[in-house]
Amino acid sequence: CTSGGTLLRLTGISPDSLYFNTILLCRFGGLEVVATILDNVLLCVSPQVMKAGSVPFSISYRYDNGYLSETIRTGILFYYYDPIDLYALIPKEGPGFGRSLLTLKGKGFRDVPGLSARFTFDFDDDIVIVPCIFVSDEELIVVSPVYNRSSAGGFSSISVSNNAVDFSETSL
């Protein structure tokens, strides 16, 4: 999302490969953020950008004095997209056992593999994430999940993500 905040995980990075007296950075196009390595996984959070689109992702080392030591080009393109905005759920009610076909109306939907809906349930704040069917950038179809506590009520909210990680701030 253009607001940033996506946690990126890159596996197979060994702390032994780090340069002495350098700071490890993730580069999203021309923007740099500090990275961390935990259990051979590089972790960094995408910065905010002004507009949607793809940027090259790379890893950089900077000396403590700020001078660039090295940039490693990964060949990965990181895609920023506009935030999703939900405004309608049709129908608004269905059977407690799930398996209902729901239509979601909004804007910012993308036909990508990570397109998913997150259902949060009233009873115990359980979360279930299911794939969505892309109809258009303003409409999705999703099947409500089976939930084993139907006697406790249905879901209390639904939100959508284009990458199965960053879910819409608006929910229904």
Side-chain angles (χ1 to χ4, degrees):
C1 172
T2 54
S3 59
T6 300
L7 178 62
L8 185 73
R9 298 170 185 259
L10 194 62
T11 59
I13 306 293
S14 170
D16 298 335
S17 66
L18 298 180
Y19 295 107
F20 184 69
N21 285 336
T22 59
I23 300 167
L24 182 63
L25 303 163
C26 291
R27 291 181 66 128
F28 295 82
L31 301 173
E32 292 180 334
V33 294
V34 176
T36 304
I37 294 183
L38 182 63
D39 296 328
N40 293 343
V41 177
L42 179 133
L43 303 169
C44 57
V45 177
S46 65
Q48 182 176 3
V49 296
M50 297 304 285
K51 64 178 189 169
S54 60
V55 296
F57 173 79
S58 56
I59 301 167
S60 292
Y61 297 94
R62 284 199 179 274
Y63 293 110
D64 291 341
N65 63 10
Y67 289 110
L68 186 62
S69 168
E70 181 180 3
T71 297
I72 301 166
R73 292 174 186 14
T74 63
I76 297 170
L77 285 177
F78 184 86
Y79 192 84
Y80 283 96
Y81 55 87
D82 290 320
I84 293 172
D85 187 23
L86 295 176
Y87 53 79
L89 171 65
I90 305 164
K92 292 187 184 281
E93 295 179 0
F97 56 80
R99 295 187 288 243
S100 295
L101 205 57
L102 306 174
T103 300
L104 291 166
K105 301 279 188 173
K107 64 180 183 178
F109 305 140
R110 297 184 43 82
D111 190 8
V112 292
L115 185 62
S116 53
R118 178 177 64 191
F119 291 82
T120 304
F121 289 85
D122 286 336
F123 180 70
D124 53 9
D125 289 330
D126 272 357
I127 292 172
V128 177
I129 297 173
V130 297
C132 292
I133 299 166
F134 180 83
V135 177
S136 74
D137 61 349
E138 296 183 348
E139 184 175 326
L140 301 176
I141 305 246
V142 64
V143 177
S144 63
V146 173
Y147 189 63
N148 61 0
R149 295 189 182 123
S150 62
S151 62
F155 64 89
S156 61
S157 69
I158 182 172
S159 55
V160 173
S161 173
N162 283 318
N163 64 5
V165 175
D166 302 304
F167 286 85
S168 57
E169 290 185 18
T170 57
S171 60
L172 302 172

